[in-house]
Amino acid sequence: MNTENFVASERLVNAAYVRQGSQGRRAHELRLRALLEQGKCPEDGWDESTIELFLHELAIMDSNNFLGNCGVGEREGRVASGLVARRHYRLIHGIGRSGDISAVQPKAAGSSLLNKLTNSVALDIIKLAGVRTASSCFVVPMATGMSLTLCFLTLRHKRPKAKYIIWPRIDQKSCFKSMITAGFEPVVVENVLEGDELRTDLKAVEAKIQDLEADNILCVHSTTSCFAPRVPDRLEELAEICTRYDIPHIVNNAYGVQSSKCMHLIQQGARRGRIDAFVQSLDKNFMVPVGGAIIAGFSDSFIQEISKMYPGRASASPSLDLLITLLTLGTKGYQQLLKERKEMFSYLLENVKKLAEAYNERLLETPHNPISLAMSLRELDKQSGTAVTQLGSMLFTRQVSGARVVPLGSQQTVSGYTFKGFMAHTNKYHCAYLNAASAIGMTKEDVDVFLKRLDKCLKALSKGKNDEKGSPALNEEVASGMEKCSLVEEDDQK
């Protein structure tokens, strides 16, 4: 409805009522105008009606939604299912062009505008979260692993002789496979044990660089967010090493946006040394469906090179999901979620520590990890060779997801490389342990239910140890870790 249509409406409805309706729409339009002019996340979140109005306005700017449009090409935004069309708000053309994922599409002005706005709002949030000197970013419709691969492939053209990537070990498959997929050879640098923490071995990193020679090294591939007892890499020192040897530095910041400590490490690393790009997941940091990531950095030209490396157009779904979510939350809403996550981490840490002590275990001291914690399972490991893995099975069948049970001595081969002590980030850690993390969106109820179910599992396993005969039912449960899902609710009500 434009001004002329409102004037025409006064012939049918009382002019005073029409003017009131016009003023109501004007309030929505002022929000849209502020977003378009500033390109920043609004301070206060928008209501759904404003967001839907905005998305519909964008959709009718795409040629597939033009009245009387006649498309005779192979890609004309045709959709067979109305349900699919509505799911995507009729934004069908995706983002980018064949040569650049950030390029504008002539026949999809609305989708192109969506892409540009999402990237701009995402950069605003990254700065708000702590990396204030980040200069450029873009949303890519791939999860963290493949986004890292895209960064490595871009560096290939800058360093044609390079074939190695220096990688302080973290036992997570996708970041390792991202290097293999790009065609490079990972040079694994084992971590050093400091107390309970596994930290970056800076001397070993520098020794590898000197041994292999800088020209043969594509980059250093470091990590922020990770499972305890590993802690974020020493980014500042690594960034200084990369500057000294003129080696690129790519940071896997998978779920680090939600942590002020991780973001501070990136900011300080860029200030003191070299960080070329850092990659973060959309689903882990912004509570949207899996399938997208943000690639950000401190050089507009390098980030643009990465975007041009992406072959072909791309799905707009991750960009659409992120923009809707950030407009819904606003900066106040997102900052509140970050504050609550930090509070839940303290609450989780305090109560896991109490529970551990009740079973003669302890909370591992990992003060440099702001998201994940670990509780020892020494007593359980002494009980039998399978008790630790049984605990993991019992938690899973009680609908506890995300907790990781790490036994001693496990070994796994990933893309031809064999890792001893896999999942523990080192060949031989000093005890088996249980991981839990406080991620964005976690509630006090989540923590309380987890602790209650963990307590019941530990109690059942302890009873199985102390009772020589043991009841058949209990022994069966301990051996298999199985329990009917219906018992979960009964357990929580007791």
Side-chain angles (χ1 to χ4, degrees):
M1 293 284 284
N2 55 26
T3 304
E4 290 82 2
N5 287 336
F6 278 116
V7 171
S9 300
E10 293 178 4
R11 300 174 187 171
L12 304 172
V13 177
N14 186 291
Y17 301 157
V18 172
R19 283 194 296 272
Q20 187 177 37
S22 176
Q23 290 167 3
R25 181 182 175 87
R26 177 68 174 163
H28 292 290
E29 291 177 340
L30 288 174
R31 288 181 169 181
L32 306 188
R33 181 177 175 180
L35 176 64
L36 292 169
E37 288 181 346
Q38 299 169 13
K40 294 184 176 181
C41 186
E43 186 175 352
D44 296 304
W46 290 5
D47 60 285
E48 290 187 7
S49 61
T50 304
I51 295 173
E52 288 186 332
L53 172 64
F54 179 47
L55 295 177
H56 286 306
E57 293 280 357
L58 291 178
I60 60 176
M61 294 172 66
D62 285 1
S63 62
N64 61 293
N65 297 311
F66 291 172
L67 295 177
N69 181 66
C70 176
V72 293
E74 82 289 351
R75 182 187 285 116
E76 296 297 336
R78 301 184 182 98
V79 177
S81 168
L83 183 61
V84 170
R86 291 192 297 276
R87 174 177 177 257
H88 294 275
Y89 285 92
R90 293 182 171 79
L91 293 160
I92 309 302
H93 280 282
I95 57 175
R97 303 185 73 182
S98 58
D100 184 353
I101 195 176
S102 298
V104 172
Q105 294 187 59
K107 60 183 177 183
S111 293
S112 299
L113 185 54
L114 167 74
N115 188 23
K116 296 292 185 182
L117 279 173
T118 303
N119 293 342
S120 180
V121 170
L123 182 61
D124 185 43
I125 289 295
I126 284 174
K127 291 180 176 181
L128 183 76
V131 186
R132 299 194 178 279
T133 57
S135 65
S136 183
C137 78
F138 69 98
V139 174
V140 58
M142 304 186 295
T144 309
M146 285 302 295
S147 298
L148 287 166
T149 296
L150 193 66
C151 295
F152 301 143
L153 290 172
T154 304
L155 288 174
R156 180 194 291 276
H157 296 281
K158 290 177 168 289
R159 302 175 72 81
K161 288 177 59 180
K163 61 178 182 178
Y164 303 109
I165 295 178
I166 304 294
W167 182 64
R169 177 176 170 179
I170 174 171
D171 290 353
Q172 202 274 337
K173 292 180 183 178
S174 64
C175 59
F176 183 77
K177 292 173 74 174
S178 70
M179 299 179 283
I180 301 292
T181 303
F184 295 96
E185 182 179 331
V187 178
V188 182
V189 178
E190 292 293 335
N191 301 300
V192 291
L193 187 65
E194 297 181 8
D196 289 330
E197 292 185 325
L198 290 164
R199 306 207 68 186
T200 316
D201 190 339
L202 296 171
K203 290 182 179 179
V205 168
E206 195 156 12
K208 289 288 186 185
I209 292 173
Q210 292 171 351
D211 182 46
L212 297 170
E213 298 184 354
D215 286 347
N216 295 319
I217 298 169
L218 183 81
C219 67
V220 171
H221 177 193
S222 63
T223 305
T224 55
S225 52
C226 54
F227 295 119
R230 197 194 191 281
V231 299
D233 279 319
R234 298 178 187 269
L235 250 62
E236 294 178 49
E237 293 88 341
L238 286 174
E240 289 177 339
I241 290 172
C242 289
T243 297
R244 189 156 59 246
Y245 290 94
D246 192 25
I247 295 173
H249 185 188
I250 304 296
V251 180
N252 175 8
N253 189 45
Y255 47 100
V257 178
Q258 61 192 282
S259 164
S260 57
K261 184 175 288 187
C262 290
M263 298 300 271
H264 177 72
L265 286 173
I266 294 172
Q267 177 62 49
Q268 288 300 99
R271 185 181 67 82
R272 289 178 51 180
R274 177 172 182 174
I275 292 179
D276 294 73
F278 56 103
V279 179
Q280 34 276 308
S281 164
L282 292 188
D283 62 284
K284 296 184 183 78
N285 293 293
F286 302 104
M287 296 190 291
V288 296
V290 172
I294 298 173
I295 300 176
F298 305 91
S299 165
D300 293 355
S301 60
F302 181 61
I303 299 303
Q304 189 175 14
E305 283 182 52
I306 299 174
S307 73
K308 289 181 178 179
M309 181 60 62
Y310 188 98
R313 288 170 175 79
S315 169
S317 291
S319 296
L320 181 60
D321 292 339
L322 180 62
L323 185 61
I324 290 173
T325 300
L326 293 179
L327 291 179
T328 300
L329 292 171
T331 57
K332 284 183 178 178
Y334 191 66
Q335 286 177 313
Q336 180 62 27
L337 285 173
L338 299 184
K339 177 175 177 289
E340 290 171 359
R341 187 212 68 80
K342 194 174 289 188
E343 291 170 352
M344 283 303 102
F345 180 73
S346 298
Y347 182 70
L348 176 66
L349 186 147
E350 178 186 344
N351 285 280
V352 168
K353 184 176 182 179
K354 290 178 182 177
L355 183 63
E357 290 170 352
Y359 289 93
N360 197 29
E361 300 288 357
R362 68 185 184 90
L363 180 74
L364 300 181
E365 294 292 331
T366 56
H368 291 96
N369 195 317
I371 299 175
S372 173
L373 52 80
M375 165 186 160
S376 72
L377 296 175
R378 288 183 186 276
E379 296 300 317
L380 204 58
D381 200 30
K382 292 176 186 176
Q383 180 178 326
S384 74
T386 59
V388 170
T389 53
Q390 286 167 358
L391 174 62
S393 179
M394 291 171 74
L395 286 171
F396 184 76
T397 56
R398 283 169 170 78
Q399 298 177 9
V400 175
S401 60
R404 297 167 75 249
V405 170
V406 182
L408 292 175
S410 63
Q411 182 171 300
Q412 188 156 348
T413 300
V414 182
S415 298
Y417 290 76
T418 299
F419 292 89
K420 294 179 180 178
F422 188 75
M423 291 175 65
H425 318 289
T426 185
N427 290 336
K428 190 175 182 181
Y429 196 64
H430 56 68
C431 69
Y433 59 86
L434 168 76
N435 272 134
S438 172
I440 191 168
M442 181 183 242
T443 65
K444 184 175 180 293
E445 183 183 4
D446 291 329
V447 177
D448 290 340
V449 171
F450 163 65
L451 292 167
K452 191 164 188 175
R453 293 178 186 175
L454 175 60
D455 184 26
K456 286 184 177 292
C457 290
L458 291 171
K459 194 173 293 182
L461 288 165
S462 298
K463 185 176 179 182
K465 170 190 174 184
N466 296 326
D467 185 354
E468 291 184 3
K469 294 182 179 179
S471 70
L474 179 61
N475 287 336
E476 182 180 351
E477 179 185 351
V478 170
S480 65
M482 295 300 293
E483 182 183 76
K484 293 181 180 178
C485 291
S486 60
L487 292 180
V488 173
E489 294 181 4
E490 294 176 13
D491 279 351
D492 293 337
Q493 291 169 2
K494 290 179 183 177

